[in-house]
Amino acid sequence: MAATLRDVAKLAGVSFKTVSNVINDYPHVRPATREKVERAIAELGYKPNLNARSLRSGRTDTVALAVPELNLSYFAELAGMVIAAAEESGLTVVVEQTGGDRDRELALLRSPRLSMTDGLILSPLGMGQEDAGALDVPFPLVLLGERTFDWPCDHVTMRNTEAARAATEYLLDSGRRRIAVIGEHEGEVMGSARLRLRGYREALAEHGVPYDPALVVRATLWHRADGARAMHELLDRDVPFDAVFGFNDTMALGAMRVLQEAGRRVPEDVAVIGFDDLDEAAYSIPSLTTVDPGREWLARTALGTLLERIAETGPKQPPRTELADFTIVERESAPRG
Amino acid sequence: MAATLRDVAKLAGVSFKTVSNVINDYPHVRPATREKVERAIAELGYKPNLNARSLRSGRTDTVALAVPELNLSYFAELAGMVIAAAEESGLTVVVEQTGGDRDRELALLRSPRLSMTDGLILSPLGMGQEDAGALDVPFPLVLLGERTFDWPCDHVTMRNTEAARAATEYLLDSGRRRIAVIGEHEGEVMGSARLRLRGYREALAEHGVPYDPALVVRATLWHRADGARAMHELLDRDVPFDAVFGFNDTMALGAMRVLQEAGRRVPEDVAVIGFDDLDEAAYSIPSLTTVDPGREWLARTALGTLLERIAETGPKQPPRTELADFTIVERESAPRG
DNA sequence: CCGAAATTCTACAACGATGCAAAAGGGTCC
DNA sequence: GGACCCTTTTGCATCGTTGTAGAATTTCGG
């Protein structure tokens, strides 16, 4: 059995409360006593039982991070950054996967498992406006990435609409006029897909290019296979297009593969732009022009905001929204015009 | 403040222990009482405090998973599978990143953070034989993936040597004779890199092809950038080669990109084979022939083994080694001969 | 209708830590 | 030398749960 405070105390010949004082850097401990206790701690290899500490203190120094799936590189890289940032603050991260599924998102928000954490960073995908009330939770909560509903809650995200507008403009500026879009979510009101589509339409309108629904392809999940499927669908529609805007890199890469299989040259026949700036975007053939949404900043800010909330004592501050800056990363799949 | 057992008890008009009995499905509770209690639970939205439960029961229903980085797709996908499997058993997973760094691996093994978990699944990379003793820990531990030292400990891995031999033979069978290798770890005695290199050499020997060290390129971490850098190095060496065996897919993809930038056609001039069968391997151009190491099985088996250890009561059973089966997935970058 | 055997419920003591408040120890000053 | 104050140490209650054991209640055979 692992050593406890009392074991250390017995060995050091002091009360167990003194050992606790040493561990918690209570200032009034005589150096000699401190040393005695520290020797005993070392000798027994004592490690505090964090469960007991949490029970007593109410702090767990653990946060939960819920993403759709780690299988999506975007979320894997994001999770890695959140965990790295947490590590720096001495925090542990519990990772949950929701599959982007509404019911699993709701179940998680109600789960007793969260009683083991001080707060939650959630990337919602499946919940809708009618579920927003479920966010009225008794623990700190930060939404990371676009939300699919309106609810006053801390929120760390990026300028989705502006970024999508910029990406579209980038293609327009390079002379493309028939720009297909992959990744629309039908019926969505305010998720990333909808916001990016809005940016796309704004850019078209500004340039006087008509919006053609035949160029817009749905994809609920944003895997490579979804991008590939969407591209097959687009090719089947037999409408002309000279560019593709993938709502994430993974889909864009899946689509680009199908495009080339079909004999279209990228970027000569069709330019492709993605969204996320994944590691792999720099290594595809051709390498993928994309939007860098500032993931590192997103991850750190989400965690930082959550930690501030956790530390908060007085009356609840009003919810905050933090917006990351984006940049367009030019690569081969869509050269600047 | 969240409701506790006592609050529920007061509302239901029973002792708080009866509420506990209801929650734990203790059989001798009168249906009427049970219903009364359940109504009270629902009314207060009571959720058990898992910290308190853990403190009392000694079980946390949480496991730790330590991998080098989530930024490496292989580990991200593996982690996703472990978490999904854990979820099925009602377990929570804490994810830690070691960066493949020896000191961080050792620090993790000693960390009090693990007192919040029932056991650890560790993918070691940096530790060496002299650190093996650090694995003598007072909690269940399962190594996932090759270990870099000898120590009696549960171990879930794949047939690295056989798989590498098969991959090499596959290339030899298709007529290649100058097969380069990317990802060697210098000085390593028994990690994946070393075992895969051994398989490679065995296959060469069997086919009477001489081993040429000029074809072997080191890479400590196995990112895309490392694969790219290694390929640049290989090209700089100016030795002829007609195939490349990347010790993981990520590196193979990085290398393939550089290869094509340099004007070599894949697979006509150079065949490329990887290792891991990542999602993205099917979508690169050309798509990547690779070794499927049975990740799903690895993830489930690692978790299953850990759970058995956690459930174990009597004397400690001898350590087990579980080996996954592999298959070679033929794609465009290296067609069957 | 009694007594024994079941069933159902409750009281109390943990688990291992921290917070609070009071006790013990040690100087200083008049 | 005693009063007072600051430093150092300690004791006790407590966090919210579960295990054990025994008390209360019900059931049931004779």
Side-chain angles (χ1 to χ4, degrees), chain B residues 15 17-18 21 28-30 33 55-56:
Chain B
S15 88
K17 183 66 236 248
T18 298
N21 286 339
H28 300 302
V29 176
R30 222 180 316 167
T33 313
L55 174 59
R56 180 61 237 235

Side-chain angles (χ1 to χ4, degrees), chain B:
Chain B
M1 215 43 220
T4 73
L5 277 187
R6 315 182 112 85
D7 300 325
V8 176
K10 197 184 300 174
L11 182 62
V14 295
S15 88
F16 79 95
K17 183 66 236 248
T18 298
V19 180
S20 167
N21 286 339
V22 169
I23 289 169
N24 294 290
D25 283 323
Y26 179 73
H28 300 302
V29 176
R30 222 180 316 167
T33 313
R34 162 159 279 134
E35 209 208 328
K36 219 168 33 176
V37 169
E38 274 164 356
R39 246 204 313 274
I41 288 178
E43 182 169 339
L44 293 177
Y46 167 78
K47 292 192 209 87
N49 179 320
L50 299 187
N51 267 306
R53 177 178 290 177
S54 297
L55 174 59
R56 180 61 237 235
S57 70
R59 285 277 312 253
T60 65
D61 287 333
T62 298
V63 300
L65 170 68
V67 296
E69 351 174 7
L70 289 183
N71 199 29
L72 284 164
S73 304
Y74 174 74
F75 290 110
E77 297 186 13
L78 194 67
M81 291 171 186
V82 169
I83 293 173
E87 167 88 39
E88 285 171 25
S89 309
L91 294 176
T92 301
V93 179
V94 160
V95 179
E96 305 273 358
Q97 297 183 111
T98 63
D101 182 67
R102 167 177 181 255
D103 292 337
R104 289 174 65 189
E105 288 173 2
L106 292 174
L108 178 69
L109 284 165
R110 276 194 303 261
S111 166
R113 304 163 76 144
L114 293 176
S115 68
M116 289 255 220
T117 67
D118 292 335
L120 169 68
I121 298 177
L122 171 66
S123 284
L125 257 189
M127 296 172 56
Q129 185 62 47
E130 70 278 18
D131 307 311
L135 290 189
D136 185 17
V137 290
F139 49 81
L141 169 68
V142 171
L143 297 184
L144 176 54
E146 216 44 69
R147 55 189 176 189
T148 46
F149 43 77
D150 204 14
W151 183 262
C153 178
D154 287 332
H155 188 196
V156 177
T157 184
M158 62 161 318
R159 303 178 198 278
N160 268 298
T161 306
E162 289 92 324
R165 173 151 25 106
T168 311
E169 269 165 6
Y170 177 98
L171 293 170
L172 289 165
D173 288 347
S174 70
R176 314 286 171 159
R177 281 299 172 275
R178 300 278 303 163
I179 304 174
V181 152
I182 286 181
E184 197 221 2
H185 280 180
E186 203 158 284
E188 192 182 81
V189 182
M190 51 185 309
S192 305
R194 180 44 50 106
L195 297 180
R196 292 179 193 175
L197 188 68
R198 178 183 305 160
Y200 164 79
R201 296 190 66 163
E202 285 177 10
L204 291 185
E206 240 168 55
H207 284 67
V209 175
Y211 169 72
D212 181 356
L215 289 173
V216 176
V217 190
R218 285 206 317 135
T220 313
L221 277 174
W222 286 359
H223 291 108
R224 279 175 201 81
D226 299 304
R229 196 193 33 64
M231 181 49 72
H232 279 301
E233 188 177 329
L234 184 63
L235 292 170
D236 285 349
R237 287 186 194 169
D238 208 23
V239 293
F241 61 95
D242 55 12
V244 175
F245 177 15
F247 279 174
N248 80 351
D249 280 358
T250 312
M251 276 191 304
L253 291 166
M256 197 158 74
R257 159 83 206 183
V258 171
L259 214 41
Q260 295 184 80
E261 271 172 6
R264 313 279 180 117
R265 289 169 308 158
V266 179
E268 294 81 354
D269 301 332
V270 179
V272 177
I273 195 166
F275 204 114
D276 284 347
D277 193 26
L278 297 185
D279 228 44
E280 64 182 288
Y283 293 91
S284 59
I285 300 197
S287 59
L288 185 67
T289 297
T290 186
V291 178
D292 172 2
R295 271 169 318 174
E296 178 78 29
W297 186 92
L298 286 169
R300 302 199 93 87
T301 305
L303 187 72
T305 305
L306 186 67
L307 292 187
E308 278 179 43
R309 286 297 182 186
I310 291 172
E312 206 167 77
T313 52
K316 216 157 70 176
Q317 299 299 310
R320 287 160 27 185
T321 295
E322 307 273 4
L323 289 173
D325 282 330
F326 65 90
T327 50
I328 291 194
V329 183
E330 182 189 353
R331 296 212 185 87
E332 299 159 353
S333 70
R336 199 171 289 280

Side-chain angles (χ1 to χ4, degrees), chain A residues 69-258:
Chain A
E69 350 175 8
L70 289 184
N71 200 28
L72 284 164
S73 305
Y74 174 74
F75 291 110
E77 298 187 11
L78 194 66
M81 291 171 188
V82 169
I83 293 172
E87 167 89 38
E88 286 171 23
S89 309
L91 294 176
T92 302
V93 179
V94 160
V95 179
E96 306 273 358
Q97 297 184 111
T98 63
D101 183 66
R102 168 177 180 255
D103 292 338
R104 288 174 66 190
E105 289 172 1
L106 292 174
L108 177 68
L109 283 165
R110 276 194 302 261
S111 167
R113 304 163 76 147
L114 293 177
S115 68
M116 288 254 215
T117 66
D118 292 335
L120 169 67
I121 298 177
L122 171 67
S123 283
L125 256 189
M127 297 172 55
Q129 185 61 46
E130 71 278 17
D131 307 311
L135 291 189
D136 185 17
V137 291
F139 49 79
L141 169 67
V142 171
L143 298 182
L144 177 54
E146 217 43 71
R147 53 189 178 189
T148 46
F149 43 77
D150 205 12
W151 184 263
C153 178
D154 286 332
H155 187 196
V156 177
T157 184
M158 63 161 317
R159 305 177 197 277
N160 268 298
T161 306
E162 288 92 323
R165 175 152 23 107
T168 312
E169 268 165 8
Y170 178 98
L171 293 171
L172 289 165
D173 287 347
S174 71
R176 313 287 171 161
R177 282 298 174 274
R178 300 279 302 164
I179 304 174
V181 153
I182 287 181
E184 197 222 2
H185 281 181
E186 205 158 285
E188 193 182 81
V189 182
M190 51 184 307
S192 304
R194 180 44 49 107
L195 297 181
R196 292 179 192 175
L197 189 67
R198 179 183 306 159
Y200 164 78
R201 296 190 66 164
E202 285 177 9
L204 291 186
E206 241 167 56
H207 284 67
V209 175
Y211 169 73
D212 181 356
L215 289 173
V216 176
V217 191
R218 286 208 315 135
T220 312
L221 276 175
W222 287 359
H223 290 108
R224 279 177 201 77
D226 299 306
R229 196 193 34 62
M231 181 50 72
H232 279 301
E233 189 178 330
L234 184 63
L235 291 170
D236 286 348
R237 285 187 195 169
D238 209 21
V239 292
F241 61 95
D242 54 14
V244 175
F245 176 16
F247 279 174
N248 79 352
D249 280 357
T250 314
M251 278 190 304
L253 290 165
M256 197 158 73
R257 159 85 205 180
V258 171

